[in-house]
Amino acid sequence: MVQQQMATSTATGTTLVEVKGLKVHFPIKGGLFNRTIAHVKAVDGVDLTIRRGETLGLVGESGCGKSTTGRAILQLIKPTGGSVKLNGVELTKLPPSELRKKRAEMQMIFQDPFGSLDPRFTVGQIIAEPLENFKRGNAREIREQVAHLLEVVGLNPYYVNRFPHEFSGGQRQRIGIARALALRPSFIVADEPVSALDVSIQAQVVNLLQDLQAEFGLTYLFVAHNLSVVKHISDRVAVMYLGRIVELAESEKLYELPLHPYTQALLSAIPVPDPEVEARRKRIILEGDVPSPVNPPSGCNFHPRCWKAQQICREVTPPLEEKERNHYVACHFPG
Amino acid sequence: MDMRDREIQPASPLIAPDTNLMVPAEPELLVETPGVIPEAEGPKERKPVSPLRESLRRLRRDKRAMVSLGVIIFMVLLSLLGPFIYQHLGGIYNSPDNGPIPATVYRTFYHQELSHQDELPSAQYWLGTDDLGRDILARLMQGLLVSISVAVLVEVIDITMGILVGVLAGYFGGWIDQVLARLTDIIFAFPGLLFIILLTGIFGTWADTTLSNVPIVGPNGNARLLLVSAALALVSWPLMARLVRGQTLQIKEQQFIEAARTAGSSNLKIIWRHIIPNLFSIVVVAATLDISNTIIGEASISLLGLGVQQPGSSLGLMISEASNAVDTHPWEVLVPSVTLAILVLAFSFLGDGLRDAFDPRTKD
Amino acid sequence: MPENLLEVNNLKTYFFTRGGVVKAVDDVSFTMRSGEALGVVGESGCGKSVTALSIIRLIASPPGKIVGGEILFNGENILEKNNEEMTELRGSKISMIFQDPMTSLNPVFTIGYQIAETVKRHRKGISNDQAWQRAIEMLDLVRIPDARRRAKSYPHEFSGGMRQRVMIAIALACNPQLLIADEPTTALDVTIQAQILELMKGLAKEFGTALMLITHDLGVVAGTCEDVIVMYAGHIVESAPVRQIFQTPAHPYTIGLLQSIPRLDEKRGTRLTPIPGQPPDLSREIIGCPYASRCPRVQPRCRQERPELKPVGRGEQLAACFYPS
């Protein structure tokens, strides 16, 4: 069945993941009786569709809710509200046992190459864990699959009995990728997969992710704060600010003609490794810090830092609308 | 016996130095240098090193810990095999009171040879005799057996309950967590030793009579031993559980737990394969350090006359009996006291060594 | 007055670990003029931070030790100074800020107090009042709004970016001649990074402070520094004015680094060219060029002798390569 999906996946560009009104609110407990006194609105109404075979980039600064969004889509964090559909199946209402079965189709690549591998497991045991859970063959078959997976991610199967601490950061990240691939998923959330790695190693992993996508017809949600990397790998990019998506467009388009003031500021803040360009370009330096998601500003939650803000921005939350073809933006005064 | 001391606190530098000239915790180069497998090179004949093996290797280099381990092993062997060897080595003795008796009689911890009271070491009694003419070495070995049995029994209960409750409380939270929190509060608010004294005082007679009639337990003071162990374990397991709970909370936040969930592992499997193995080191260290407390605890209870009863023996009981005549026969107090001190120190040192060996920060 | 503010000659800082001697910094030489902004780039473990810590003499010892070379600051060898003289020097003439603004401040004292303390330590005879005024002045300077009130706040009341501003205020409070910033913006978000870089650049100019910016991010260097040093495996492999590094890189490692990072202004569909393999294990003896095992232009000679840092015929550009491009 998985094989069939792959065959059809790349060409069509039909919807694989559909997210509607996703909300994740974390309670803050406190006071005398440990009551909930407030909520951190980490994700506050996110709509996304991810097409089969594409890479959707999700960028934003720390605390904007991008990682939480990725985890809520995979149901690693229970969403407070909204709907997530994978292949048309509603995930938020699945009972735990059904959800576990569904995990074979959706996997995750983690940020931390040190913390995401159990230090007491060998590489072989780490990659075999999902295969054992889903009974993909007997012990010998699983061993063969593990060896093959190691080869696929560019590691020597000889090292199958080694422990994670014997590998470098880049190699560990490859192990994590092999584990994510083990069940032949159709959808992978990559949460900052290269941000913990050195630049020369980052490129190796980025290329590997692209190669694997082509080979296995994968669909990625690529979550990262590094816009250069996101732009490089993504077909479309969504920009998040304080729990909401403020702009979504094809990556070329977004970088050439950002419509939301926040996107513009974000793009201008990224240093370009070219002194000529750096000398020429105008920087938009945003004032102040990102407000707390416990008590987000009214209306458009970017208004306190926005140089275009008007009265309406303080009062009315702008909806995410298609301003140009395939270019969505949530702003009263885009452009 | 302060049970609060044995908690293992990670040495966190809470307060930073006051200037802007702080040295970062670790120079950048130490992050990933030795042992990394070069990609370019072909397979090399090198055994994979598991974290446990790595720790044991570090432990082996710790001289103080290894000497302590040697002392502990010696004491265990002494208490188990010592009596047989000791009795085997002695000849027939013509007692003025009891006639000719073999060493299997006069070198027991309970035989009273009234013609040999308060003697210093001799060929017949290697460590002398006490005020009732009993062989001190024999009593010492029996006392050690009691101390060690109690320690093992207490730690078994401690670890089992500690992990069971601690992991459940840490992993699932909820009411188990609440109950554990209140239990530890009570233990903290109530002096542990006083609690144990109360327990052994109340149930002492019951143990001597009713419990001793249970076939497996039998007489010979085993019932008392069980009672003391149970009392000691009762005050120590909630602390172990609290420690385990804290550690579980930490491990639970690690990404590999999330990865396991993504891989479709059930909660039970995650606990069994990921959480508990990663608790191993901290539990072993805590239990080893706790043995010192347990041994002192048992000795204290026996010293107060609430533990093992005559004619049984225990280090605490020996000290208690001999302390009446400490002016005239200091030797009889010295032998069990020094043995107790050595045993307690050995476990403390071993615990410290284990902690250093398991702590990744002490990696060379 | 000597010509160079800082002159590092043949610096060697080794770490003596159980796994062997790690030559973290091995024969490193460079100079800095007063007021210059120098970028030091390289990947983790290349020795850039250890170089900085050597200059300010904060190498954890053991296991670290400066085993050779000299560091001339205003013509005086820092390595010959005793601890008291070093303490005097640090914070007043040379300051340093670190990557993590969370742990660099003492949580139990107010921000203002911590700045005032630094001022008092280095300026004998200054009154408490004057020190406090200076603290507020500095907070104003690093653009912390409402400095008079905020000086009485504790570090936990500040965000990461604000704390890094405070660190800069402390570092600059005594008008140092040299400010060493070790990955000052790595822990911060891009928009905050832009604020902090702008601020550091501006203040260094205003105070005439030389800035040594250590980073792994070539983009940061491009917009902030005048000169760049590229380090690899404990050695300087290339050193040049910033434009030349980016336009005509000479060392294969510099070229490799530039090709392996995605750029915002690149065309869609371009593929990154990663550097194969990974940096060498510094606890082992490296014969020849340390980059030889990853270099696309490697020749037999590269594996036998180590190339010296020498001019490559474009003015001030130096590279440690037998076959520079």
Side-chain angles (χ1 to χ4, degrees):
Chain A
M1 188 196 86
V2 182
Q3 294 297 334
Q4 275 173 357
Q5 268 175 19
M6 269 183 217
T8 55
S9 66
T10 35
T12 53
T14 52
T15 301
L16 177 68
V17 181
E18 193 172 6
V19 180
K20 276 212 179 106
L22 187 69
K23 280 185 186 173
V24 182
H25 294 183
F26 297 111
I28 303 173
K29 305 255 178 175
L32 195 55
F33 300 104
N34 212 22
R35 278 176 319 189
T36 303
I37 47 175
H39 282 97
V40 178
K41 292 168 181 150
V43 180
D44 204 18
V46 160
D47 301 319
L48 276 178
T49 53
I50 305 172
R51 299 173 195 146
R52 242 175 250 284
E54 81 164 341
T55 300
L56 178 70
L58 191 57
V59 288
E61 298 180 277
S62 53
C64 73
K66 56 187 189 301
S67 285
T68 312
T69 304
R71 283 175 166 75
I73 291 174
L74 292 185
Q75 307 297 308
L76 288 169
I77 296 173
K78 204 97 202 104
T80 316
S83 123
V84 177
K85 282 186 185 149
L86 176 73
N87 262 327
V89 179
E90 176 63 55
L91 297 180
T92 53
K93 304 222 163 61
L94 282 183
S97 58
E98 290 296 309
L99 184 63
R100 255 211 322 274
K101 283 184 202 147
K102 211 76 191 147
R103 296 221 172 276
E105 290 172 47
M106 48 182 195
Q107 287 290 310
M108 182 151 179
I109 297 168
F110 294 88
Q111 168 176 11
D112 182 0
F114 294 85
S116 61
L117 308 176
D118 189 331
R120 298 194 183 271
F121 274 40
T122 64
V123 170
Q125 288 171 321
I126 288 167
I127 301 173
E129 189 175 5
L131 295 169
E132 286 162 2
N133 286 340
F134 286 89
K135 310 219 161 40
R136 297 279 170 91
N138 58 33
R140 188 183 53 81
E141 285 161 354
I142 285 179
R143 256 202 317 279
E144 280 166 8
Q145 290 180 64
V146 168
H148 176 68
L149 283 162
L150 280 172
E151 269 173 9
V152 164
V153 298
L155 289 173
N156 192 331
Y158 178 81
Y159 297 128
V160 68
N161 288 325
R162 294 291 174 93
F163 288 87
H165 71 97
E166 300 176 80
F167 294 88
S168 71
Q171 291 168 328
R172 287 185 215 210
Q173 207 55 315
R174 286 171 195 264
I175 296 166
I177 293 171
R179 170 178 57 195
L181 285 178
L183 296 169
R184 297 292 143 93
S186 46
F187 177 54
I188 291 184
V189 173
D191 182 24
E192 302 266 12
V194 298
S195 59
L197 306 175
D198 268 323
V199 265
S200 73
I201 309 296
Q202 279 188 6
Q204 294 176 5
V205 174
V206 166
N207 282 357
L208 175 68
L209 287 174
Q210 286 182 318
D211 293 343
L212 294 172
Q213 180 167 42
E215 193 176 337
F216 298 103
L218 298 168
T219 304
Y220 290 138
L221 177 66
F222 193 94
V223 180
H225 70 279
N226 186 331
L227 284 90
S228 315
V229 173
V230 170
K231 187 213 167 190
H232 177 84
I233 200 168
S234 305
D235 300 296
R236 294 188 303 147
V237 174
V239 181
M240 270 188 95
Y241 186 79
L242 265 187
R244 290 184 198 151
I245 289 177
V246 295
E247 188 161 4
L248 193 160
E250 279 160 17
S251 68
E252 286 285 272
K253 204 75 160 289
L254 186 84
Y255 286 84
E256 271 160 26
L257 202 75
L259 293 178
H260 197 284
Y262 176 65
T263 316
Q264 292 166 359
L266 204 58
L267 286 172
S268 88
I270 301 167
V272 171
D274 188 335
E276 301 282 351
V277 177
E278 282 288 304
R280 265 189 282 121
R281 64 205 284 247
K282 265 258 159 280
R283 269 234 161 92
I284 305 167
I285 305 268
L286 282 181
E287 290 295 314
D289 289 311
V290 182
S292 154
V294 178
N295 216 342
S298 61
C300 168
N301 52 27
F302 184 60
H303 83 254
R305 300 175 80 192
C306 185
W307 62 97
K308 287 181 175 175
Q310 305 281 328
Q311 191 56 33
I312 184 173
C313 304
R314 286 181 261 282
E315 287 159 3
V316 183
T317 307
L320 189 66
E321 283 172 340
E322 192 166 9
K323 289 278 146 74
E324 287 171 28
R325 202 178 131 65
N326 287 330
H327 195 151
Y328 298 80
V329 61
C331 180
H332 293 300
F333 307 99
Chain B
M1 186 184 65
D2 191 356
M3 298 222 158
R4 268 156 253 195
D5 275 350
R6 62 113 199 230
E7 249 182 89
I8 298 163
Q9 298 289 354
S12 68
L14 241 178
I15 304 215
D18 64 339
T19 63
N20 52 333
L21 300 171
M22 230 190 72
V23 189
E26 219 175 345
E28 53 167 16
L29 82 150
L30 297 182
V31 179
E32 45 174 84
T33 26
V36 163
I37 299 157
E39 245 156 338
E41 281 179 45
K44 262 186 308 179
E45 283 312 312
R46 194 161 61 91
K47 275 251 177 288
V49 200
S50 75
L52 179 62
R53 265 238 282 276
E54 196 65 20
S55 304
L56 292 180
R57 189 178 59 84
R58 279 199 290 275
L59 184 68
R60 271 202 298 276
R61 281 205 307 256
D62 185 342
K63 284 208 186 73
R64 203 177 63 169
M66 289 320 284
V67 168
S68 300
L69 185 64
V71 168
I72 292 165
I73 292 173
F74 173 75
M75 296 257 192
V76 170
L77 290 178
L78 187 70
S79 68
L80 289 174
L81 306 175
F84 299 105
I85 299 168
Y86 186 47
Q87 287 170 14
H88 186 73
L89 292 174
I92 303 285
Y93 164 65
N94 257 316
S95 163
D97 304 324
N98 306 313
I101 43 171
T104 43
V105 173
Y106 65 82
R107 282 185 175 176
T108 55
F109 64 90
Y110 46 82
H111 178 77
Q112 299 182 0
E113 192 61 41
L114 294 173
S115 54
H116 286 274
Q117 286 167 329
D118 296 322
E119 279 183 4
L120 284 173
S122 64
Q124 187 176 359
Y125 298 110
W126 289 8
L127 285 181
T129 56
D130 66 5
D131 61 338
L132 292 175
R134 293 177 298 198
D135 189 322
I136 289 183
L137 179 56
R139 288 188 71 69
L140 189 75
M141 292 189 288
Q142 173 66 15
L144 270 175
L145 187 65
V146 168
S147 289
I148 291 166
S149 322
V150 169
V152 168
L153 212 59
V154 169
E155 290 320 314
V156 166
I157 302 173
D158 201 22
I159 291 174
T160 318
M161 289 298 287
I163 287 187
L164 194 72
V165 179
V167 166
L168 291 178
Y171 192 82
F172 293 110
W175 65 268
I176 306 176
D177 204 15
Q178 293 294 320
V179 169
L180 178 66
R182 293 298 87 78
L183 253 174
T184 39
D185 283 349
I186 293 170
I187 301 285
F188 271 137
F190 212 78
L193 190 59
L194 192 62
F195 188 66
I196 296 167
I197 291 169
L198 271 175
L199 269 184
T200 43
I202 294 167
F203 293 104
T205 349
W206 172 80
D208 289 340
T209 52
T210 321
L211 193 60
S212 295
N213 292 333
V214 176
I216 308 167
V217 182
N220 302 330
N222 282 351
R224 276 284 181 158
L225 229 146
L226 274 177
L227 181 64
V228 171
S229 304
L232 283 166
L234 202 66
V235 294
S236 73
W237 79 259
L239 299 178
M240 176 69 93
R242 215 178 69 135
L243 182 76
V244 168
R245 172 190 173 271
Q247 192 68 13
T248 305
L249 282 175
Q250 253 180 42
I251 298 172
K252 199 175 82 169
E253 292 306 313
Q254 303 263 356
Q255 276 187 353
F256 64 79
I257 298 298
E258 209 172 25
R261 189 164 297 129
T262 322
S265 298
S266 60
N267 282 331
L268 203 67
K269 189 172 176 185
I270 290 173
I271 289 176
W272 189 246
R273 290 199 64 191
H274 293 287
I275 304 254
I276 291 180
N278 279 291
L279 286 169
F280 176 79
S281 56
I282 200 154
V283 167
V284 166
V285 173
T288 312
L289 290 173
D290 191 44
I291 286 180
S292 301
N293 280 330
T294 307
I295 291 172
I296 294 175
E298 182 274 327
S300 312
I301 297 166
S302 296
L303 192 81
L304 293 169
L306 292 165
V308 173
Q309 302 291 310
Q310 299 280 10
S313 174
S314 124
L315 295 177
L317 193 61
M318 285 176 81
I319 297 169
S320 148
E321 284 165 357
S323 59
N324 298 328
V326 68
D327 307 333
T328 44
H329 307 291
W331 174 252
E332 291 171 30
V333 177
L334 208 62
V335 171
S337 306
V338 168
T339 311
L340 182 69
I342 291 175
L343 193 62
V344 166
L345 274 178
F347 275 109
S348 284
F349 287 159
L350 180 65
D352 285 345
L354 280 168
R355 175 164 50 195
D356 292 345
F358 283 128
D359 190 342
R361 273 181 299 245
T362 60
K363 229 183 207 170
D364 35 42
Chain C
M1 194 73 182
E3 185 191 346
N4 288 318
L5 175 70
L6 180 73
E7 198 174 323
V8 176
N9 292 323
N10 307 96
L11 179 69
K12 288 181 182 175
T13 306
Y14 295 174
F15 286 78
F16 297 87
T17 68
R18 226 181 269 277
V21 179
V22 177
K23 295 178 179 172
V25 172
D26 198 12
D27 203 4
V28 158
S29 307
F30 64 93
T31 58
M32 274 182 87
R33 299 179 304 276
S34 36
E36 177 186 355
L38 174 75
V40 181
V41 289
E43 299 175 273
S44 55
C46 73
K48 54 189 193 299
S49 288
V50 176
T51 304
L53 290 172
S54 302
I55 291 170
I56 203 161
R57 286 261 306 274
L58 281 178
I59 293 289
S61 172
K65 195 168 188 296
I66 299 174
V67 295
E70 54 177 14
I71 299 170
L72 302 178
F73 182 71
N74 280 328
E76 290 174 47
N77 191 353
I78 283 181
L79 299 183
E80 283 163 5
K81 292 196 183 296
N82 63 28
N83 281 342
E84 266 167 51
E85 289 167 328
M86 263 331 282
T87 314
E88 182 51 42
L89 197 67
R90 280 183 216 129
S92 66
K93 298 272 169 56
I94 308 178
S95 284
M96 187 154 176
I97 49 181
F98 293 101
Q99 172 175 347
D100 189 0
M102 304 297 160
T103 56
S104 302
L105 287 165
N106 190 332
V108 300
F109 294 114
T110 61
I111 298 291
Y113 177 84
Q114 296 189 49
I115 305 176
E117 273 305 290
T118 316
V119 175
K120 274 196 283 185
R121 196 168 34 240
H122 294 293
R123 281 203 203 149
K124 305 283 171 271
I126 192 169
S127 74
N128 283 348
D129 243 18
Q130 285 169 311
W132 186 260
Q133 280 312 316
R134 177 71 179 156
I136 292 171
E137 209 176 289
M138 287 311 297
L139 287 177
D140 242 347
L141 217 56
V142 295
R143 283 177 232 149
I144 286 184
D146 201 1
R148 195 163 293 279
R149 194 174 55 82
R150 296 294 265 171
K152 293 182 193 129
S153 311
Y154 288 88
H156 71 90
E157 299 172 66
F158 278 45
S159 69
M162 296 280 263
R163 279 185 241 200
Q164 201 60 296
R165 284 165 192 267
V166 173
M167 293 313 299
I168 294 171
I170 292 178
L172 294 180
C174 294
N175 291 333
Q177 292 173 287
L178 174 61
L179 172 65
I180 302 174
D182 188 0
E183 304 268 9
T185 57
T186 306
L188 307 174
D189 281 318
V190 266
T191 56
I192 310 295
Q193 164 171 296
Q195 295 172 356
I196 297 290
L197 287 176
E198 203 80 352
L199 181 72
M200 270 196 335
K201 227 168 32 173
L203 287 180
K205 273 236 168 64
E206 199 178 322
F207 283 60
T209 307
L211 174 67
M212 183 170 171
L213 180 67
I214 295 161
T215 177
H216 67 278
D217 191 335
L218 285 160
V220 167
V221 167
T224 315
C225 301
E226 295 148 18
D227 292 286
V228 182
I229 284 173
V230 182
M231 287 190 76
Y232 185 78
H235 302 282
I236 293 179
V237 294
E238 183 159 4
S239 134
V242 68
R243 272 164 204 264
Q244 285 174 12
I245 281 279
F246 287 95
Q247 279 160 13
T248 56
H251 196 281
Y253 176 63
T254 316
I255 299 168
L257 267 189
L258 285 168
Q259 283 176 347
S260 63
I261 44 175
R263 291 176 53 151
L264 265 189
D265 47 1
E266 75 186 6
K267 280 277 152 276
R268 175 105 186 108
T270 43
R271 203 172 151 80
L272 301 178
T273 318
I275 303 174
Q278 47 198 319
D281 181 349
L282 294 181
S283 62
R284 301 216 185 112
E285 188 70 35
I286 299 167
I287 299 160
C289 174
Y291 191 59
S293 65
R294 305 172 79 183
C295 184
R297 291 212 301 267
V298 65
Q299 301 286 328
R301 186 182 174 196
C302 304
R303 300 190 194 276
Q304 283 150 16
E305 38 177 323
R306 189 159 77 78
E308 293 291 315
L309 195 64
K310 54 175 191 266
V312 288
R314 289 184 209 97
E316 297 165 64
Q317 192 167 12
L318 308 174
C321 182
F322 293 124
Y323 310 99
S325 52

